[in-house]
Amino acid sequence: MNPKATQIRLAEGGGGEATAQLIQQVFWSRLRHPELLKGNDASVLENPGGNLVVTIDSFVITPWSFPGGDIGKLAICGTVNDLTMMGAVPLGLTVGFIIEEGFAIHDLERIAESMAFTASQAGVQVVAGDTKVVNKGAADGIFITSSGVGTAAPDLHLGGAYARPGDHVIVTGTMGDHGATVLLARGEMGLQSDLISDVAPLNKLIIPLVQKYPQYIRVLRDPTRGGLAATLNEIARQSKVSIRINENSIPINPQVRGITGLLGLDPLYLANEGKAVMIASPEVSCFLIHELRENPLGKDAAIIGEVCAITGNFGMNQGIVSIGNEMGGERILPMGSGEQLPRIC
Amino acid sequence: MNPKATQIRLAEGGGGEATAQLIQQVFWSRLRHPELLKGNDASVLENPGGNLVVTIDSFVITPWSFPGGDIGKLAICGTVNDLTMMGAVPLGLTVGFIIEEGFAIHDLERIAESMAFTASQAGVQVVAGDTKVVNKGAADGIFITSSGVGTAAPDLHLGGAYARPGDHVIVTGTMGDHGATVLLARGEMGLQSDLISDVAPLNKLIIPLVQKYPQYIRVLRDPTRGGLAATLNEIARQSKVSIRINENSIPINPQVRGITGLLGLDPLYLANEGKAVMIASPEVSCFLIHELRENPLGKDAAIIGEVCAITGNFGMNQGIVSIGNEMGGERILPMGSGEQLPRIC
């Protein structure tokens, strides 16, 4: 957030630096729950009978339907994945709809159908909901907010603050597919492709690994708005470490590479909706890659870098993310301003 | 929902008959969780260590600020009250913001401040959040969705289906204040008054009574969208009973009576945001009234009617709500179409 700004800009919704600043200045200064201030994808509530994990996300994507999914599928996956990133098994989801007057009922039925199918695929259930309608022109079609509650083992030390120097950085698949797909689906670029969004529920891919390697997986996060770059920068700040990744190790779909090259975009800043970043002890990273690749959702999993101590090489006390290439070059990968792609989720 | 309608109308967001039909036809036919299908204000999830209660509500009120509150206070109260209506003690709330580009940051700060103050008043905490920004014209200022999780005693039999013939119907205060206040705040009526919305968190008023009279309080519901009329009709359907209320027993603020009279509106269809309908065994109803009136939030509490068996007097098998006056007249109080006041919460 620009300190002189008096009005909300699109950048404040982009998931980058501007979003982080807005949230800190407006919300964290007033709503000071320690779990909120941790800045993870979901928060942990201690409760007799096991830790509860809660999360919420609003979805405002345009267009609401795109190759590989729609806003309903996205709302289910987004919440299942946020719970998953905290190692939580979903207990139930709740969904709130804000619908513009005039929205086609058959489209709403299609969205409900898609939510039901995705929930069943993920083995979760929608247990409560709410529907509001606003007058024509007061919303853009349909917005969905989904919230979830799950249970996690009480001794799980998983979260953005647990990365340690020496840990490996893993991505579960190609980067930027969702962002590139939605960008093309808007039709403004005049480009066509057969790209589809990666939107998928990750609980069945990830939870067995968390249960199998509880001491070794330190951080899980889904690189949605702001992409891999924003996610790694968040983790570097939370864990007070630097992160170095290798450009050539990052799996990127050739079509995404081609489209982003044409448009001058960087796939590392594009949203993903069916991928996780995993930071894990080097002792298990090869086992994790092996097991991830056995599942179609993890077939392109790769170790892309490692966590380092803050050295001050770049003249900052705060941990930074850097990216190196095969020529030995290394540059900073900043968080991003968040202006690249509004309404991507 | 009109079976021939192909597009969503404002009535489908009004909380009356059209909303009920939309939810059944579009959502319940696909998302079939038994708790969802009960149609209560919140759903119960069985969990080791105590039953969990979850709820979600989106708030799209216009104007976002009104005498007595704003959308932030409303979002906290709405979710605290939905948990309270299931007898649940709140564990934590999550909030999702959808903000229109150009919304003033100082207004957002005012809303966050109001949420923090209301949460502290209710003794609850916001533990997770999400912020999305949409382009100018794609939303009307700000929408907030809040979700909550709470714990309830496992042996609590509280819900819309538990009303029994002979039970008394209680309201905790005057009806229609929120709806009438927001209507005037829109400035379209050319009327002025010093009315304020009743928006308030009800947990501290209600939960001690639920804990004190667990076997005697059968139904709790906050008569928000659709007002008292919609709420009583919902309960009559869920419990398969009729409900008879006495017009002269219903507490109504004289200003609300005056304004609704002038505008040709019925206060029994206007939203309340700080009131509960309580259906309880006649053995305890006088104690409940006495204790409610000791709290400023319950000072106008009254017994307004009773639950009866379905008799078919009105030629229907489904339970109906009727309202009688001091002249001995009696008429049906239908659920309402939902078109009376869009975007009241």
Side-chain angles (χ1 to χ4, degrees):
Chain A
M1 192 165 75
N2 180 332
K4 292 184 189 158
T6 59
Q7 295 189 322
I8 298 289
R9 299 162 304 148
L10 280 174
E12 267 109 34
E17 205 65 77
T19 306
Q21 287 185 19
L22 178 79
I23 289 172
Q24 282 173 32
Q25 292 185 27
V26 177
F27 298 119
W28 288 4
S29 60
R30 295 173 174 85
L31 302 162
R32 303 190 55 76
H33 192 277
E35 279 294 317
L36 184 70
L37 304 186
K38 283 185 186 167
N40 285 323
D41 280 338
S43 292
V44 180
L45 300 174
E46 286 178 21
N47 190 47
N51 279 351
L52 292 176
V53 177
V54 294
T55 184
I56 193 165
D57 264 306
S58 292
F59 296 90
V60 298
I61 189 166
T62 179
W64 66 261
S65 174
F66 48 83
D70 59 39
I71 192 171
K73 182 175 183 182
L74 195 58
I76 299 293
C77 294
T79 290
V80 167
N81 292 350
D82 276 353
L83 292 176
T84 300
M85 297 305 121
M86 296 299 285
V89 176
L91 274 175
L93 306 188
T94 60
V95 288
F97 295 84
I98 297 172
I99 310 170
E100 185 187 11
E101 181 188 12
F103 194 76
I105 289 173
H106 72 86
D107 285 338
L108 189 62
E109 289 177 321
R110 202 179 124 193
I111 290 167
E113 194 69 41
S114 161
M115 296 178 89
F117 180 79
T118 308
S120 133
Q121 204 183 10
V124 303
Q125 291 203 285
V126 173
V127 298
D130 179 56
T131 308
K132 294 292 190 309
V133 179
V134 298
N135 39 306
K136 193 137 188 90
D140 188 10
I142 185 165
F143 302 143
I144 302 179
T145 301
S146 58
S147 178
V149 55
T151 47
D155 53 352
L156 214 56
H157 291 284
L158 193 65
Y162 291 104
R164 304 179 200 172
D167 285 349
H168 283 176
V169 180
I170 291 167
V171 292
T172 61
T174 54
M175 291 288 105
D177 300 60
H178 177 75
T181 304
V182 174
L183 191 64
L184 292 193
R186 290 184 187 162
E188 297 155 2
M189 301 298 171
L191 292 173
Q192 297 219 319
S193 82
D194 51 7
L195 260 186
I196 61 168
S197 166
D198 59 342
V199 57
L202 295 173
N203 54 331
K204 292 185 178 172
L205 175 71
I206 299 290
I207 295 296
L209 298 176
V210 173
Q211 289 167 343
K212 191 164 174 186
Y213 303 103
Q215 285 85 31
Y216 300 97
I217 301 177
R218 327 263 203 221
V219 185
L220 281 168
R221 188 156 295 175
D222 54 341
T224 57
R225 276 188 297 180
L228 180 66
T231 297
L232 293 180
N233 274 280
E234 284 168 18
I235 296 168
R237 290 180 191 185
Q238 285 180 266
S239 291
K240 300 185 176 61
V241 295
S242 285
I243 294 174
R244 188 179 294 138
I245 58 174
N246 311 309
E247 191 149 28
N248 301 100
S249 311
I250 304 169
I252 294 175
N253 179 321
Q255 280 204 296
V256 171
R257 196 182 292 283
I259 288 159
T260 52
L262 270 174
L263 300 174
L265 297 171
D266 184 340
L268 305 189
Y269 290 88
L270 293 184
N272 308 276
E273 294 291 346
K275 303 289 160 51
V277 173
M278 194 182 267
I279 294 192
S281 162
E283 298 164 66
V284 299
S285 57
C286 289
F287 302 122
L288 289 171
I289 293 293
H290 180 77
E291 297 192 36
L292 284 166
R293 287 184 180 165
E294 285 181 346
N295 184 313
L297 290 175
K299 68 183 170 51
D300 298 313
I303 299 173
I304 63 162
E306 63 176 1
V307 177
C308 326
I310 296 178
T311 59
N313 269 355
F314 289 92
M316 296 163 73
N317 285 321
Q318 185 176 301
I320 50 103
V321 180
S322 63
I323 181 164
N325 60 29
E326 76 266 48
M327 316 289 287
E330 193 171 4
R331 61 184 166 87
I332 290 182
L333 189 71
M335 190 165 212
S337 64
E339 278 159 339
Q340 195 165 345
L341 271 183
R343 296 183 62 191
I344 203 69
C345 61
Chain B
M1 192 166 75
N2 180 333
K4 291 182 188 160
T6 60
Q7 295 189 322
I8 298 290
R9 299 163 304 147
L10 280 175
E12 267 110 32
E17 204 65 78
T19 306
Q21 287 185 20
L22 178 79
I23 289 172
Q24 281 173 32
Q25 291 186 26
V26 176
F27 298 119
W28 289 4
S29 60
R30 295 174 174 86
L31 302 162
R32 303 190 54 76
H33 192 277
E35 279 293 317
L36 185 70
L37 304 186
K38 283 184 187 169
N40 286 323
D41 280 336
S43 292
V44 181
L45 299 175
E46 286 178 21
N47 191 47
N51 280 351
L52 292 176
V53 177
V54 294
T55 184
I56 193 165
D57 264 307
S58 292
F59 296 89
V60 298
I61 190 166
T62 179
W64 65 262
S65 174
F66 48 83
D70 59 39
I71 192 171
K73 181 175 184 182
L74 195 59
I76 300 293
C77 294
T79 291
V80 167
N81 292 349
D82 277 353
L83 292 176
T84 300
M85 297 304 121
M86 295 300 285
V89 176
L91 274 175
L93 307 188
T94 60
V95 288
F97 295 85
I98 297 172
I99 310 171
E100 185 187 11
E101 181 188 10
F103 194 76
I105 290 173
H106 71 86
D107 285 338
L108 189 62
E109 289 177 322
R110 201 179 124 193
I111 290 167
E113 194 69 41
S114 160
M115 296 178 89
F117 179 80
T118 308
S120 132
Q121 204 183 12
V124 303
Q125 292 203 283
V126 173
V127 298
D130 180 57
T131 307
K132 293 292 191 311
V133 179
V134 298
N135 40 307
K136 191 133 190 95
D140 187 10
I142 185 165
F143 302 144
I144 301 179
T145 301
S146 58
S147 177
V149 55
T151 47
D155 53 352
L156 214 56
H157 290 285
L158 193 65
Y162 290 105
R164 304 179 200 171
D167 284 350
H168 283 176
V169 180
I170 291 167
V171 293
T172 61
T174 53
M175 291 288 106
D177 299 61
H178 177 76
T181 303
V182 175
L183 190 63
L184 292 194
R186 289 184 189 163
E188 298 155 2
M189 301 299 173
L191 292 174
Q192 296 217 320
S193 81
D194 51 7
L195 259 185
I196 63 168
S197 166
D198 59 343
V199 57
L202 294 173
N203 53 331
K204 292 184 178 173
L205 175 72
I206 299 290
I207 295 297
L209 297 176
V210 172
Q211 288 168 344
K212 191 164 175 186
Y213 303 103
Q215 283 85 34
Y216 300 96
I217 301 177
R218 326 265 202 219
V219 185
L220 279 168
R221 189 156 294 176
D222 54 340
T224 57
R225 275 186 298 180
L228 180 67
T231 296
L232 293 180
N233 273 280
E234 283 168 20
I235 297 168
R237 289 179 191 184
Q238 285 181 267
S239 291
K240 300 185 176 61
V241 294
S242 285
I243 293 174
R244 188 180 294 139
I245 58 175
N246 312 309
E247 192 149 27
N248 301 99
S249 312
I250 304 169
I252 295 175
N253 179 322
Q255 281 204 297
V256 171
R257 196 181 292 282
I259 288 158
T260 52
L262 270 173
L263 300 175
L265 296 171
D266 185 339
L268 304 189
Y269 289 88
L270 292 184
N272 308 276
E273 294 291 346
K275 302 289 160 52
V277 172
M278 194 181 266
I279 295 191
S281 161
E283 298 163 67
V284 299
S285 57
C286 288
F287 302 122
L288 289 171
I289 292 293
H290 180 76
E291 298 194 33
L292 284 167
R293 287 184 181 165
E294 286 183 344
N295 185 314
L297 289 175
K299 68 181 169 53
D300 298 313
I303 299 174
I304 63 162
E306 63 176 2
V307 178
C308 327
I310 296 177
T311 59
N313 269 354
F314 290 91
M316 296 160 74
N317 285 320
Q318 185 176 303
I320 50 104
V321 180
S322 63
I323 181 165
N325 60 28
E326 77 266 48
M327 315 290 286
E330 192 171 5
R331 61 184 167 88
I332 289 182
L333 188 72
M335 188 164 214
S337 64
E339 279 158 339
Q340 195 166 342
L341 271 184
R343 297 184 61 191
I344 203 69
C345 60

